[in-house]
Amino acid sequence: QVQLVESGGGLVQAGGSLRLSCAASRSIFSFNMGWYRQAPGKQREFVATINRYGSTGYADSVKGRFTISRDDAKNTVWLHLNSLKPEDTAVYYCKITTTLDEYWGQGTQVTVSS
């Protein structure tokens, strides 16, 4: 089992930046890591992913503005959010996909004011 703890959310003005962190309770080496978000009244949606080789993928809505990165030595994944828009307001969740299962963090709130 893996525990994930997200942090770094907050209130920011449109155009601003945040860095979200996801700390895992065990090694994340060789596992795919991802960020998802859920806005009020909407389904959870994919934001970004990074595999064991560092290859990344992004939702079209965040491409060019968000950057996902990882440090396996620190068991941590980050999501850098730049040029934030009010529509980026959501709870952001971290996910790890292991060979047997997937685990989610508790989420961190990001609120972007216009």
Side-chain angles (χ1 to χ4, degrees), residues 41-59:
K42 295 186 177 181
Q43 290 189 333
R44 191 171 299 188
E45 64 176 6
F46 165 76
V47 176
T49 187
I50 185 167
N51 69 11
R52 60 182 294 186
Y53 303 109
S55 295
T56 59
Y58 298 92

Side-chain angles (χ1 to χ4, degrees), residues 56-74:
T56 59
Y58 298 92
D60 287 343
S61 59
V62 307
K63 202 171 294 183
R65 299 189 298 121
F66 292 6
T67 302
I68 188 171
S69 61
R70 66 190 290 163
D71 186 335
D72 291 350
K74 296 181 179 179

Side-chain angles (χ1 to χ4, degrees), residues 26-41:
R26 52 153 289 181
S27 174
I28 63 172
F29 178 73
S30 83
F31 300 136
N32 290 343
M33 303 294 297
W35 285 94
Y36 293 72
R37 66 186 182 186
Q38 187 167 17

